[in-house]
Amino acid sequence: MSEREYDVVVVGAGFAGMYLLHRLRGLGFKTRVVEAGSDVGGTWYWNRYPGARVDIESMQYSYQFDEDLQQEWQWSERYSPQPELLKYAGHVADRFDLRRDIQFDTRIGSARYDEATSRWTLEAENGDRFVARFFVMATGCLSKPNWPQIEGLGSFAGPTYHTALWPHEKVDFTGQRVAVIGTGSSGIQSIPVIAEQAAELFVFQRTPNYAIPAHNQPLDPVYEKKVKSRYAEFRTEAKQTPPGIHGRFRVGNAMDATPKQRQAEYERRWDAGGLSFMGSYGDLMFNQDSNDTVADFVRGKIREIVKDPDVAEKLCPKNIIGGKRLCIDTSYYATYNQEHVHLIDVKERPIEAITPTSVRAHGRDYEIDVLVIATGFDAMTGALTAVDIRGKDDANLRERWADGPSSYLGLAMTDFPNLFTVTGPGSPSVFTNMLPTIEQHVDWIVDCLAYMKDRNYTAIEAEPDAEKAWWDHHQEVSKIGLKTTTDSWYLGANVEGKARVFMPYYGGFPTYCQKCEEVAAGGYEGFAFG
Ligand code: NA7
């Protein structure tokens, strides 16, 4: 047990925490990063399930703050697999000598603000205490695993693996009877790989998802050279698009094109693969008829790929496309053509129970050896409210957000002075390429701390009016279009009892960055300094 004092304590050593440490150190802030895992990497440290892979192209899903780093690092595939992303995180930690200021294997349980000293005291579950003027939660948007509420879950006698808490040692499914519960990105990425080994695979699907082929392949050296010859410009161009991703995003309306033109465009995008599929037309997320055309196209593909028409129908999503996060897959639908792969629809009749040897559904026991839980995360707020955070006058973040979160720019909250969140609710976060978004947030936070240091300010707090105005704007923007018409983790709908409030900012990365810049240029408008 120890107690030490710092200028800044950062919780989380994923890409956000690592870059924060690098920048804060550069400005002379005495910084400590506290991380629950045993190494750096965040998402890529925990999500080691078979098939785990980023859904943004590798050349874009990487840091850009250091030109030498981005020139020297070589990705091997179009979409990096988890082990390579973890290796990259480790490389960055080595290159910038980060680990010496990171305390691993330490989970923060509580944080309390002392108004008299304008300092936070963080207490870890092992009893270690960290006192600091500033406290940054760099805990990620998808980091608190969501466990399904199924009777008997803990009673299963064989191994149970959650995709978000995958063991470090290799899991061998050879000859095993395996159940996978959940068909979001994690299920869709892992199911084809598990099917290669398993003797029998039972997939329990509550809601079918749209998956677009990744067409993953070794990274084309010509493309790599081209991007690297103008990396800075390439990055700048990416930041001018709403998701902060370099790609072909058309502005025309799907309904203005003829059916033949639309079909040709969707085919072309399907063949190219990846998230830019939804960039086929500008109105796909704003016009139900337009969305129907692209959703029908994907349903048509599912029916073409999956040989058994009943299985194909079960796999066809009924909700709009893009309401839930689009999945990027490798052979997902084709996996169901294998005789040992079985799809069990548990939408109308949920899983009844988990027994020591089976998953019970529709009155039948599916006998299994291994249980894989791919039920996602308590997204956006879960990791923040997992810590007992108490601000001014003992303001309790968990209670404050019981009816849904609120934040100024996803960066700070009234009554919680000197606390910053990286990609918090109300920031564009998961609608963008997370790496540049993280860098933007970190730069903004660090610049703000430097501004305070120059002026000898000791406390900063979001003003209630500014927070309310931003949150109202954010909620207003989220209602434009179709996004809120689907139950999703963006809305908190995947966690039982969680308030349904739309969390990521839907106004686009450029608009958000402009607002952040204006706030800073105006002497941090909407913030009060002490
Ligand atoms: P997701 O996308 O939240 O998917 C979780 C899946 O688990 C989804 O299909 C859920 O169905 C399903 N689920 C949840 N609870 C149950 C129960 N009780 N029974 C059956 N099925 C259930 O999480 P992922 O980890 O796949 O991906 C999260 C993000 O990580 C992803 O969007 C990428 O950004 C990376 P539901 O749809 O709720 O009916």
PDB file of all heavy atoms in Angstrom, residues 408-409 412-414 444 460-469 515 518-520 522-529:
ATOM      1  N   TYR A 408     -19.933  18.171 -20.887  1.00  0.00           N
ATOM      2  CA  TYR A 408     -19.582  19.279 -21.774  1.00  0.00           C
ATOM      3  C   TYR A 408     -18.534  18.757 -22.752  1.00  0.00           C
ATOM      4  O   TYR A 408     -17.399  18.446 -22.349  1.00  0.00           O
ATOM      5  CB  TYR A 408     -19.051  20.453 -20.943  1.00  0.00           C
ATOM      6  CG  TYR A 408     -18.773  21.716 -21.743  1.00  0.00           C
ATOM      7  CD1 TYR A 408     -19.502  22.046 -22.879  1.00  0.00           C
ATOM      8  CD2 TYR A 408     -17.783  22.602 -21.332  1.00  0.00           C
ATOM      9  CE1 TYR A 408     -19.254  23.206 -23.591  1.00  0.00           C
ATOM     10  CE2 TYR A 408     -17.521  23.781 -22.034  1.00  0.00           C
ATOM     11  CZ  TYR A 408     -18.261  24.072 -23.170  1.00  0.00           C
ATOM     12  OH  TYR A 408     -18.009  25.223 -23.884  1.00  0.00           O
ATOM     13  N   LEU A 409     -18.933  18.573 -23.985  1.00  0.00           N
ATOM     14  CA  LEU A 409     -18.047  18.124 -25.072  1.00  0.00           C
ATOM     15  C   LEU A 409     -17.501  16.713 -24.885  1.00  0.00           C
ATOM     16  O   LEU A 409     -16.529  16.322 -25.530  1.00  0.00           O
ATOM     17  CB  LEU A 409     -16.856  19.103 -25.227  1.00  0.00           C
ATOM     18  CG  LEU A 409     -17.212  20.538 -25.603  1.00  0.00           C
ATOM     19  CD1 LEU A 409     -16.033  21.470 -25.371  1.00  0.00           C
ATOM     20  CD2 LEU A 409     -17.658  20.603 -27.054  1.00  0.00           C
ATOM     21  N   ALA A 412     -15.701  16.998 -19.915  1.00  0.00           N
ATOM     22  CA  ALA A 412     -15.727  17.427 -18.513  1.00  0.00           C
ATOM     23  C   ALA A 412     -17.169  17.559 -18.024  1.00  0.00           C
ATOM     24  O   ALA A 412     -18.087  17.726 -18.833  1.00  0.00           O
ATOM     25  CB  ALA A 412     -15.021  18.774 -18.379  1.00  0.00           C
ATOM     26  N   MET A 413     -17.353  17.486 -16.709  1.00  0.00           N
ATOM     27  CA  MET A 413     -18.691  17.573 -16.128  1.00  0.00           C
ATOM     28  C   MET A 413     -18.734  18.599 -14.990  1.00  0.00           C
ATOM     29  O   MET A 413     -17.799  18.664 -14.199  1.00  0.00           O
ATOM     30  CB  MET A 413     -19.114  16.205 -15.560  1.00  0.00           C
ATOM     31  CG  MET A 413     -19.486  15.178 -16.601  1.00  0.00           C
ATOM     32  SD  MET A 413     -18.082  14.308 -17.281  1.00  0.00           S
ATOM     33  CE  MET A 413     -17.479  13.424 -15.890  1.00  0.00           C
ATOM     34  N   THR A 414     -19.839  19.321 -14.938  1.00  0.00           N
ATOM     35  CA  THR A 414     -20.076  20.249 -13.834  1.00  0.00           C
ATOM     36  C   THR A 414     -20.038  19.490 -12.507  1.00  0.00           C
ATOM     37  O   THR A 414     -20.543  18.361 -12.426  1.00  0.00           O
ATOM     38  CB  THR A 414     -21.479  20.888 -13.992  1.00  0.00           C
ATOM     39  OG1 THR A 414     -21.546  21.499 -15.258  1.00  0.00           O
ATOM     40  CG2 THR A 414     -21.758  21.914 -12.912  1.00  0.00           C
ATOM     41  N   TRP A 444      -6.215  18.530 -26.734  1.00  0.00           N
ATOM     42  CA  TRP A 444      -7.056  19.585 -26.160  1.00  0.00           C
ATOM     43  C   TRP A 444      -6.869  19.634 -24.635  1.00  0.00           C
ATOM     44  O   TRP A 444      -6.687  20.712 -24.053  1.00  0.00           O
ATOM     45  CB  TRP A 444      -8.528  19.334 -26.520  1.00  0.00           C
ATOM     46  CG  TRP A 444      -9.436  20.487 -26.213  1.00  0.00           C
ATOM     47  CD1 TRP A 444      -9.839  21.474 -27.067  1.00  0.00           C
ATOM     48  CD2 TRP A 444     -10.031  20.783 -24.936  1.00  0.00           C
ATOM     49  NE1 TRP A 444     -10.650  22.362 -26.399  1.00  0.00           N
ATOM     50  CE2 TRP A 444     -10.787  21.976 -25.094  1.00  0.00           C
ATOM     51  CE3 TRP A 444      -9.996  20.185 -23.678  1.00  0.00           C
ATOM     52  CZ2 TRP A 444     -11.501  22.562 -24.058  1.00  0.00           C
ATOM     53  CZ3 TRP A 444     -10.704  20.774 -22.635  1.00  0.00           C
ATOM     54  CH2 TRP A 444     -11.445  21.953 -22.826  1.00  0.00           C
ATOM     55  N   ILE A 460     -10.396  23.821 -12.672  1.00  0.00           N
ATOM     56  CA  ILE A 460     -11.228  24.099 -13.862  1.00  0.00           C
ATOM     57  C   ILE A 460     -12.490  23.260 -13.746  1.00  0.00           C
ATOM     58  O   ILE A 460     -12.440  22.098 -13.324  1.00  0.00           O
ATOM     59  CB  ILE A 460     -10.469  23.785 -15.166  1.00  0.00           C
ATOM     60  CG1 ILE A 460     -11.382  24.018 -16.374  1.00  0.00           C
ATOM     61  CG2 ILE A 460      -9.903  22.365 -15.181  1.00  0.00           C
ATOM     62  CD1 ILE A 460     -10.650  23.977 -17.714  1.00  0.00           C
ATOM     63  N   GLU A 461     -13.612  23.887 -14.107  1.00  0.00           N
ATOM     64  CA  GLU A 461     -14.875  23.149 -13.998  1.00  0.00           C
ATOM     65  C   GLU A 461     -15.815  23.590 -15.108  1.00  0.00           C
ATOM     66  O   GLU A 461     -15.920  24.783 -15.408  1.00  0.00           O
ATOM     67  CB  GLU A 461     -15.513  23.431 -12.631  1.00  0.00           C
ATOM     68  CG  GLU A 461     -16.782  22.642 -12.391  1.00  0.00           C
ATOM     69  CD  GLU A 461     -17.463  23.036 -11.067  1.00  0.00           C
ATOM     70  OE1 GLU A 461     -16.850  23.742 -10.255  1.00  0.00           O
ATOM     71  OE2 GLU A 461     -18.619  22.648 -10.899  1.00  0.00           O
ATOM     72  N   ALA A 462     -16.503  22.633 -15.722  1.00  0.00           N
ATOM     73  CA  ALA A 462     -17.488  22.966 -16.752  1.00  0.00           C
ATOM     74  C   ALA A 462     -18.635  23.735 -16.105  1.00  0.00           C
ATOM     75  O   ALA A 462     -19.134  23.334 -15.045  1.00  0.00           O
ATOM     76  CB  ALA A 462     -18.009  21.695 -17.406  1.00  0.00           C
ATOM     77  N   GLU A 463     -19.066  24.817 -16.747  1.00  0.00           N
ATOM     78  CA  GLU A 463     -20.189  25.596 -16.203  1.00  0.00           C
ATOM     79  C   GLU A 463     -21.507  24.902 -16.571  1.00  0.00           C
ATOM     80  O   GLU A 463     -21.633  24.366 -17.679  1.00  0.00           O
ATOM     81  CB  GLU A 463     -20.164  27.012 -16.771  1.00  0.00           C
ATOM     82  CG  GLU A 463     -19.012  27.820 -16.175  1.00  0.00           C
ATOM     83  CD  GLU A 463     -18.858  29.192 -16.808  1.00  0.00           C
ATOM     84  OE1 GLU A 463     -19.252  29.354 -17.977  1.00  0.00           O
ATOM     85  OE2 GLU A 463     -18.329  30.079 -16.119  1.00  0.00           O
ATOM     86  N   PRO A 464     -22.475  24.918 -15.649  1.00  0.00           N
ATOM     87  CA  PRO A 464     -23.731  24.188 -15.913  1.00  0.00           C
ATOM     88  C   PRO A 464     -24.403  24.599 -17.212  1.00  0.00           C
ATOM     89  O   PRO A 464     -24.894  23.746 -17.951  1.00  0.00           O
ATOM     90  CB  PRO A 464     -24.613  24.530 -14.704  1.00  0.00           C
ATOM     91  CG  PRO A 464     -23.719  25.126 -13.685  1.00  0.00           C
ATOM     92  CD  PRO A 464     -22.467  25.583 -14.353  1.00  0.00           C
ATOM     93  N   ASP A 465     -24.412  25.902 -17.528  1.00  0.00           N
ATOM     94  CA  ASP A 465     -25.100  26.357 -18.749  1.00  0.00           C
ATOM     95  C   ASP A 465     -24.414  25.819 -20.002  1.00  0.00           C
ATOM     96  O   ASP A 465     -25.077  25.450 -20.968  1.00  0.00           O
ATOM     97  CB  ASP A 465     -25.128  27.890 -18.819  1.00  0.00           C
ATOM     98  CG  ASP A 465     -26.059  28.467 -17.769  1.00  0.00           C
ATOM     99  OD1 ASP A 465     -26.772  27.664 -17.132  1.00  0.00           O
ATOM    100  OD2 ASP A 465     -26.049  29.699 -17.590  1.00  0.00           O
ATOM    101  N   ALA A 466     -23.084  25.798 -19.956  1.00  0.00           N
ATOM    102  CA  ALA A 466     -22.330  25.328 -21.124  1.00  0.00           C
ATOM    103  C   ALA A 466     -22.562  23.836 -21.306  1.00  0.00           C
ATOM    104  O   ALA A 466     -22.768  23.356 -22.432  1.00  0.00           O
ATOM    105  CB  ALA A 466     -20.844  25.620 -20.938  1.00  0.00           C
ATOM    106  N   GLU A 467     -22.555  23.114 -20.202  1.00  0.00           N
ATOM    107  CA  GLU A 467     -22.783  21.667 -20.296  1.00  0.00           C
ATOM    108  C   GLU A 467     -24.182  21.396 -20.852  1.00  0.00           C
ATOM    109  O   GLU A 467     -24.363  20.580 -21.749  1.00  0.00           O
ATOM    110  CB  GLU A 467     -22.609  21.007 -18.923  1.00  0.00           C
ATOM    111  CG  GLU A 467     -22.906  19.517 -18.968  1.00  0.00           C
ATOM    112  CD  GLU A 467     -22.597  18.776 -17.669  1.00  0.00           C
ATOM    113  OE1 GLU A 467     -21.630  19.144 -16.965  1.00  0.00           O
ATOM    114  OE2 GLU A 467     -23.333  17.829 -17.349  1.00  0.00           O
ATOM    115  N   LYS A 468     -25.151  22.120 -20.325  1.00  0.00           N
ATOM    116  CA  LYS A 468     -26.536  21.899 -20.769  1.00  0.00           C
ATOM    117  C   LYS A 468     -26.694  22.246 -22.255  1.00  0.00           C
ATOM    118  O   LYS A 468     -27.316  21.499 -23.015  1.00  0.00           O
ATOM    119  CB  LYS A 468     -27.502  22.725 -19.912  1.00  0.00           C
ATOM    120  CG  LYS A 468     -28.942  22.429 -20.233  1.00  0.00           C
ATOM    121  CD  LYS A 468     -29.922  23.122 -19.322  1.00  0.00           C
ATOM    122  CE  LYS A 468     -31.373  22.809 -19.676  1.00  0.00           C
ATOM    123  NZ  LYS A 468     -31.725  22.796 -21.093  1.00  0.00           N
ATOM    124  N   ALA A 469     -26.105  23.365 -22.651  1.00  0.00           N
ATOM    125  CA  ALA A 469     -26.242  23.782 -24.056  1.00  0.00           C
ATOM    126  C   ALA A 469     -25.625  22.733 -24.983  1.00  0.00           C
ATOM    127  O   ALA A 469     -26.209  22.383 -26.012  1.00  0.00           O
ATOM    128  CB  ALA A 469     -25.568  25.138 -24.262  1.00  0.00           C
ATOM    129  N   LYS A 515     -15.702  23.193 -32.703  1.00  0.00           N
ATOM    130  CA  LYS A 515     -16.262  23.665 -31.428  1.00  0.00           C
ATOM    131  C   LYS A 515     -15.178  23.652 -30.339  1.00  0.00           C
ATOM    132  O   LYS A 515     -15.040  24.619 -29.580  1.00  0.00           O
ATOM    133  CB  LYS A 515     -17.458  22.771 -31.036  1.00  0.00           C
ATOM    134  CG  LYS A 515     -18.011  23.006 -29.657  1.00  0.00           C
ATOM    135  CD  LYS A 515     -18.774  24.323 -29.521  1.00  0.00           C
ATOM    136  CE  LYS A 515     -19.269  24.497 -28.087  1.00  0.00           C
ATOM    137  NZ  LYS A 515     -19.868  25.807 -27.855  1.00  0.00           N
ATOM    138  N   GLU A 518     -12.825  26.495 -30.889  1.00  0.00           N
ATOM    139  CA  GLU A 518     -13.434  27.793 -30.537  1.00  0.00           C
ATOM    140  C   GLU A 518     -13.445  27.979 -29.017  1.00  0.00           C
ATOM    141  O   GLU A 518     -13.164  29.056 -28.508  1.00  0.00           O
ATOM    142  CB  GLU A 518     -14.870  27.859 -31.070  1.00  0.00           C
ATOM    143  CG  GLU A 518     -14.941  28.157 -32.547  1.00  0.00           C
ATOM    144  CD  GLU A 518     -16.337  27.922 -33.141  1.00  0.00           C
ATOM    145  OE1 GLU A 518     -17.313  27.767 -32.358  1.00  0.00           O
ATOM    146  OE2 GLU A 518     -16.424  27.874 -34.364  1.00  0.00           O
ATOM    147  N   VAL A 519     -13.782  26.911 -28.314  1.00  0.00           N
ATOM    148  CA  VAL A 519     -13.826  26.977 -26.845  1.00  0.00           C
ATOM    149  C   VAL A 519     -12.443  27.360 -26.312  1.00  0.00           C
ATOM    150  O   VAL A 519     -12.300  28.263 -25.479  1.00  0.00           O
ATOM    151  CB  VAL A 519     -14.305  25.620 -26.258  1.00  0.00           C
ATOM    152  CG1 VAL A 519     -14.040  25.540 -24.759  1.00  0.00           C
ATOM    153  CG2 VAL A 519     -15.791  25.424 -26.541  1.00  0.00           C
ATOM    154  N   ALA A 520     -11.415  26.694 -26.836  1.00  0.00           N
ATOM    155  CA  ALA A 520     -10.049  26.971 -26.359  1.00  0.00           C
ATOM    156  C   ALA A 520      -9.629  28.391 -26.739  1.00  0.00           C
ATOM    157  O   ALA A 520      -9.106  29.143 -25.895  1.00  0.00           O
ATOM    158  CB  ALA A 520      -9.084  25.941 -26.948  1.00  0.00           C
ATOM    159  N   GLY A 522     -11.372  30.924 -27.189  1.00  0.00           N
ATOM    160  CA  GLY A 522     -12.103  31.923 -26.402  1.00  0.00           C
ATOM    161  C   GLY A 522     -11.713  31.867 -24.921  1.00  0.00           C
ATOM    162  O   GLY A 522     -12.527  32.246 -24.063  1.00  0.00           O
ATOM    163  N   GLY A 523     -10.552  31.349 -24.599  1.00  0.00           N
ATOM    164  CA  GLY A 523     -10.114  31.277 -23.191  1.00  0.00           C
ATOM    165  C   GLY A 523     -10.890  30.207 -22.438  1.00  0.00           C
ATOM    166  O   GLY A 523     -11.242  30.362 -21.282  1.00  0.00           O
ATOM    167  N   TYR A 524     -11.170  29.108 -23.124  1.00  0.00           N
ATOM    168  CA  TYR A 524     -11.908  27.977 -22.547  1.00  0.00           C
ATOM    169  C   TYR A 524     -13.310  28.396 -22.086  1.00  0.00           C
ATOM    170  O   TYR A 524     -13.694  28.271 -20.936  1.00  0.00           O
ATOM    171  CB  TYR A 524     -11.074  27.273 -21.451  1.00  0.00           C
ATOM    172  CG  TYR A 524      -9.876  26.639 -22.086  1.00  0.00           C
ATOM    173  CD1 TYR A 524      -8.686  27.356 -22.226  1.00  0.00           C
ATOM    174  CD2 TYR A 524      -9.955  25.379 -22.637  1.00  0.00           C
ATOM    175  CE1 TYR A 524      -7.589  26.824 -22.896  1.00  0.00           C
ATOM    176  CE2 TYR A 524      -8.859  24.838 -23.309  1.00  0.00           C
ATOM    177  CZ  TYR A 524      -7.694  25.553 -23.432  1.00  0.00           C
ATOM    178  OH  TYR A 524      -6.633  25.019 -24.117  1.00  0.00           O
ATOM    179  N   GLU A 525     -14.015  28.878 -23.092  1.00  0.00           N
ATOM    180  CA  GLU A 525     -15.415  29.292 -22.904  1.00  0.00           C
ATOM    181  C   GLU A 525     -16.245  28.162 -22.301  1.00  0.00           C
ATOM    182  O   GLU A 525     -16.138  27.006 -22.732  1.00  0.00           O
ATOM    183  CB  GLU A 525     -16.023  29.573 -24.275  1.00  0.00           C
ATOM    184  CG  GLU A 525     -16.145  31.022 -24.609  1.00  0.00           C
ATOM    185  CD  GLU A 525     -16.489  31.186 -26.082  1.00  0.00           C
ATOM    186  OE1 GLU A 525     -17.106  30.270 -26.654  1.00  0.00           O
ATOM    187  OE2 GLU A 525     -16.107  32.227 -26.629  1.00  0.00           O
ATOM    188  N   GLY A 526     -17.056  28.503 -21.350  1.00  0.00           N
ATOM    189  CA  GLY A 526     -17.920  27.493 -20.731  1.00  0.00           C
ATOM    190  C   GLY A 526     -17.242  26.787 -19.574  1.00  0.00           C
ATOM    191  O   GLY A 526     -17.824  25.889 -18.970  1.00  0.00           O
ATOM    192  N   PHE A 527     -16.012  27.163 -19.294  1.00  0.00           N
ATOM    193  CA  PHE A 527     -15.317  26.604 -18.130  1.00  0.00           C
ATOM    194  C   PHE A 527     -15.043  27.726 -17.142  1.00  0.00           C
ATOM    195  O   PHE A 527     -14.754  28.866 -17.542  1.00  0.00           O
ATOM    196  CB  PHE A 527     -13.975  25.972 -18.537  1.00  0.00           C
ATOM    197  CG  PHE A 527     -14.128  24.658 -19.262  1.00  0.00           C
ATOM    198  CD1 PHE A 527     -14.167  24.621 -20.653  1.00  0.00           C
ATOM    199  CD2 PHE A 527     -14.237  23.465 -18.561  1.00  0.00           C
ATOM    200  CE1 PHE A 527     -14.302  23.413 -21.329  1.00  0.00           C
ATOM    201  CE2 PHE A 527     -14.377  22.248 -19.232  1.00  0.00           C
ATOM    202  CZ  PHE A 527     -14.409  22.221 -20.618  1.00  0.00           C
ATOM    203  N   ALA A 528     -15.139  27.400 -15.870  1.00  0.00           N
ATOM    204  CA  ALA A 528     -14.770  28.370 -14.829  1.00  0.00           C
ATOM    205  C   ALA A 528     -13.437  27.938 -14.238  1.00  0.00           C
ATOM    206  O   ALA A 528     -13.228  26.745 -13.990  1.00  0.00           O
ATOM    207  CB  ALA A 528     -15.842  28.391 -13.750  1.00  0.00           C
ATOM    208  N   PHE A 529     -12.544  28.897 -14.047  1.00  0.00           N
ATOM    209  CA  PHE A 529     -11.242  28.583 -13.453  1.00  0.00           C
ATOM    210  C   PHE A 529     -11.186  29.059 -12.009  1.00  0.00           C
ATOM    211  O   PHE A 529     -11.793  30.047 -11.647  1.00  0.00           O
ATOM    212  CB  PHE A 529     -10.121  29.271 -14.248  1.00  0.00           C
ATOM    213  CG  PHE A 529      -9.914  28.674 -15.619  1.00  0.00           C
ATOM    214  CD1 PHE A 529     -10.418  29.319 -16.753  1.00  0.00           C
ATOM    215  CD2 PHE A 529      -9.226  27.486 -15.781  1.00  0.00           C
ATOM    216  CE1 PHE A 529     -10.239  28.774 -18.017  1.00  0.00           C
ATOM    217  CE2 PHE A 529      -9.040  26.935 -17.047  1.00  0.00           C
ATOM    218  CZ  PHE A 529      -9.545  27.580 -18.163  1.00  0.00           C
TER     219      PHE A 529
END
